[in-house]
Amino acid sequence: MSNVAVIGAQWGDEGKGKIVDWLSERADAVVRFQGGHNAGHTLVIGNQTYKLSLLPSGVVRGGKLSFIGNGVVLDPWALLAEIAKLGAQGVHIGPDKLFIAENTPLILPPHRELDQMREEAAGASRIGTTGRGIGPAYEDKAGRRAIRLADLADPETLEARLDRFLAHHDALRKGLGAAPIDRAALKAALEEIAPQVLPFAAPVWLRLSELRKQGAKVLFEGAQGALLDVDFGTYPYVTSSNTMAGQAASGSGMGPGAVGYVLGIAKAYTTRVGAGPFPTELFDAIGERLGERGHEFGTVTGRKRRCGWFDAALVRQTIATAGIHGIALTKLDVLDGLDEIRIGVGYEIDGVRHDHLPTAAALQAKAKPIYETLPGWSESTQGARRWADLPAAAIKYVKRLEELIDCPVALLSTSPEREDTILVTDPFAGSDSR
Ligand code: GDP
Ligand code: IMO
Ligand code: MG
């Protein structure tokens, strides 16, 4: 019995939250290991909709343990707001169920301000970040000037950390024409929030190590997607963390052997929020239709998501770089009613065929997708819960994707609702039920 890591195989918003919630029934603990509240994961359970950004998607099931690992960047105010919002929906989260790594770096208001100031200053070359301060917080972690959760417990340490933090940020802000940080106000805000977040602080690595010895099943929940990975994504139009399954180990304090099965989540088409290359993007009525049927608006920022055909060349690439064993294919129902469906299988760049997207930005900008066209289906797949209920053309589409990406489809999702999910291979057990 292995642990499972769920990661996005495209540019985020693949439906990770729905799949993690569904899989969490089989797990004892759910662990976030990177990203922060730039993530937006929507869960639909009966007539309730939950929107999660920082909290692991297992929280809505009572009895599961939730962990936020050291690889995450934590905005403590956003955390408390999310806990309060879920509390109002009847989901109560206390320190007996949620554990946050003591060595998690904090996102502070100056990080958010810096993120937004830089985006404004960049004009047309902006990345289109979520404006949550994610990039600046990771910079401070790598720059060894982050204030970490454990630092809130000791006033002397906090003073020293603030000195270091301000020395860097005030110089940067001066260059951007912004006022220096109000040290007293920031310190007071941290002192005020400390007693509310410190009860959740824990040596997460130790708790997970103990759970592992007890044979507990752990589900690692990735945020963003492999194409937003800071190394392998469409740099610089990426997020600032590693979004791959390998990060599950270092972002939680477990060894590399902790992740057994890597489940990549992919939409049956492609979306992207923010700027950056997107070879199979559609600018026509079909793109509009995918956006409308798929309700493609960002959970975090409300921005319209860009839509396009499934890019098998890119997903094949992320399957290799992320070490994906099986795919959960989501939103198949959004393709219902199309006469024909296209799949990107490679690129033409300056008259030369490429089977993967080159790294150089100039080549990426010139990449024209090469398509294969399959017949669509007129029947509805919405809400299908059995493989046998799918129309023949839909099965053909899924099987062709499997061939092109060279990876089996382990789960299929046919609506936002938790139970509208077809299990082909149980990632925790590895048995094929097709
Ligand atoms: P995440 O960031 O990967 O967790 O994905 P988001 O929650 O941001 O975006 C996925 C959206 O699609 C959410 O609104 C889900 O409720 C919805 N969704 C998930 N799976 C399906 C599906 O199979 N069909 C349809 N129509 N919607 C889905
Ligand atoms: P989930 O977990 C989709 C994108 C932003 C921007 C880039 C950098 O819901 O799939 P950042 O604020 O991280 O510095 O922004 O990354 N982005 C996402 N796109 N889904 C997400 O998360 C995203 N998180 C960040 O739009 O292009
Ligand atoms: Mg999302």
Side-chain angles (χ1 to χ4, degrees):
M1 199 67 81
S2 58
N3 294 330
V4 174
V6 165
I7 62 157
Q10 294 158 322
W11 277 292
D13 301 326
E14 299 91 347
K16 297 176 292 293
K18 166 178 168 167
I19 300 296
V20 169
D21 164 63
W22 190 85
L23 276 175
S24 66
E25 189 190 4
R26 294 163 153 75
D28 302 295
V30 185
V31 184
R32 276 283 303 268
F33 55 87
Q34 49 70 232
H37 66 314
N38 49 347
H41 301 167
T42 302
L43 280 49
V44 181
I45 301 155
N47 55 11
Q48 279 276 17
T49 299
Y50 303 95
K51 289 184 189 291
L52 304 173
S53 282
L54 257 173
L55 294 168
S57 297
V59 288
V60 298
R61 285 188 196 269
K64 307 292 171 187
L65 299 178
S66 294
F67 293 88
I68 294 179
N70 55 281
V72 169
V73 280
L74 180 88
D75 180 325
W77 294 275
L79 174 81
L80 294 178
E82 197 170 316
I83 290 175
K85 194 177 77 179
L86 280 173
Q89 287 187 279
V91 178
H92 300 288
I93 297 151
D96 57 327
K97 288 277 158 55
L98 174 68
F99 307 89
I100 307 177
E102 297 161 314
N103 49 346
T104 305
L106 301 182
I107 300 182
L108 304 179
H111 290 128
R112 191 179 58 237
E113 289 160 22
L114 183 59
D115 191 355
Q116 294 170 0
M117 282 190 285
R118 279 184 180 150
E119 283 284 276
E120 267 166 43
S125 61
R126 66 164 63 95
I127 288 165
T129 72
T130 58
R132 298 291 194 263
I134 304 293
Y138 276 116
E139 285 171 36
D140 280 356
K141 171 181 173 170
R144 293 157 292 188
R145 55 181 169 264
I147 297 178
R148 308 200 299 181
L149 184 55
D151 298 332
L152 296 182
D154 179 51
E156 250 177 68
T157 309
L158 188 58
E159 288 288 355
R161 295 281 190 270
L162 278 170
D163 285 345
R164 216 177 151 88
F165 182 80
L166 263 75
H168 178 81
H169 279 271
D170 278 346
L172 256 182
R173 291 167 72 96
K174 196 171 176 190
L176 288 162
I181 294 167
D182 182 340
R183 191 183 201 279
L186 178 58
K187 190 172 158 233
L190 288 171
E191 282 169 351
E192 190 200 336
I193 201 141
Q196 298 174 69
V197 289
L198 281 172
F200 296 101
V204 160
W205 66 270
L206 184 57
R207 291 279 150 77
L208 290 175
S209 164
E210 286 162 1
L211 278 175
R212 200 174 179 195
K213 283 182 195 146
Q214 293 160 15
K217 279 183 276 178
V218 178
L219 182 56
F220 296 96
E221 177 178 15
Q224 290 82 52
L227 299 173
L228 289 168
D229 181 86
V230 68
D231 286 303
F232 286 101
T234 43
Y235 194 91
Y237 299 99
V238 294
T239 192
S240 296
S241 65
N242 280 114
T243 58
M244 306 295 195
Q247 177 64 21
S250 53
S252 65
M254 295 181 95
V259 181
Y261 186 98
V262 181
L263 182 69
I265 317 296
K267 266 181 207 178
Y269 50 101
T270 311
T271 63
R272 170 164 209 171
V273 216
F278 180 174
T280 60
E281 184 169 11
L282 289 166
F283 300 95
D284 59 5
I286 295 179
E288 284 291 321
R289 179 193 164 109
L290 294 176
E292 273 162 32
R293 283 185 61 96
H295 303 289
E296 298 295 357
F297 293 92
T299 316
V300 175
T301 56
R303 287 179 292 175
K304 203 171 168 183
R305 295 176 184 150
R306 299 154 65 191
C307 296
W309 295 119
F310 188 90
D311 190 333
L314 271 181
V315 174
R316 190 167 59 234
Q317 209 163 313
T318 68
I319 282 166
T321 53
I324 291 169
H325 297 106
I327 286 282
L329 192 70
T330 62
K331 304 190 102 164
L332 185 69
D333 53 295
V334 175
L335 299 178
D336 289 355
L338 288 172
D339 293 335
E340 41 185 43
I341 301 174
R342 291 178 147 200
I343 309 172
V345 294
Y347 313 97
E348 191 242 281
I349 303 170
D350 294 331
V352 179
R353 187 188 166 119
H354 292 251
D355 290 331
H356 70 271
L357 190 66
T359 303
L363 295 181
Q364 289 188 351
K366 284 196 271 186
K368 290 193 193 72
I370 298 169
Y371 286 119
E372 195 173 290
T373 304
L374 265 64
W377 53 91
S378 55
E379 304 91 326
S380 169
T381 64
Q382 200 191 354
R385 294 185 182 184
R386 294 183 321 154
W387 184 256
D389 294 339
L390 298 175
I395 291 180
K396 230 172 159 181
Y397 178 68
V398 176
K399 290 207 167 277
R400 185 63 187 139
L401 289 190
E402 285 183 316
E403 280 170 7
L404 287 168
I405 61 178
D406 195 19
C407 185
V409 166
L411 283 156
L412 206 66
S413 167
T414 57
S415 102
E417 162 62 34
R418 178 192 265 173
E419 296 306 330
D420 292 340
T421 306
I422 301 172
L423 175 69
V424 182
T425 304
D426 184 346
F428 280 111
S431 60
D432 195 321
S433 65
R434 181 156 34 175

